[in-house]
Amino acid sequence: MIHSNTQKHIEVVPGVVNVSRYAVNQVGGTALGGAMDNGLNPTTTLGCGTWGNNIISENLWYTHVMNVSRISYRVPDIYIPTDKKIWAG
């Protein structure tokens, strides 16, 4: 998680710190678990990846043997449905 408006600062951190998800100007607890307004796949079992000797929590794919850092930004003006609309039958 970083709170900055300086692109140089934003882009240098994932090259120095081994992270699997890295969010910019967002709420850490909810954004890194995946959110409708940032495009990260939802997860409730986010581990520290192969850097921390964790096992994956989804179907095995070739991307799981690659260490990848993802930088996410909030998507401006995205439609987020209400709970009522999400749970409507």
Side-chain angles (χ1 to χ4, degrees):
M1 188 60 56
I2 187 172
H3 295 279
S4 176
N5 292 317
T6 306
Q7 196 65 28
K8 183 178 179 182
H9 295 163
I10 293 168
E11 292 177 356
V12 75
V13 175
V16 178
V17 180
N18 294 330
V19 293
S20 59
R21 290 184 175 197
Y22 178 64
V24 178
N25 296 326
Q26 299 177 57
V27 179
T30 57
L32 292 177
M36 290 181 148
D37 62 350
N38 70 12
L40 291 173
N41 288 333
T43 181
T44 57
T45 57
L46 185 60
C48 53
T50 57
W51 294 292
N53 297 318
N54 282 155
I55 192 165
I56 61 171
S57 60
E58 56 194 10
N59 293 329
L60 180 62
W61 193 245
Y62 76 94
T63 56
H64 291 107
V65 296
M66 300 168 42
N67 285 324
V68 177
S69 294
R70 291 174 178 84
I71 299 175
S72 76
Y73 293 87
R74 286 187 51 90
V75 178
D77 303 322
I78 193 164
Y79 169 73
I80 300 177
T82 64
D83 285 348
K84 185 176 180 179
K85 289 184 180 181
I86 290 173
W87 295 103

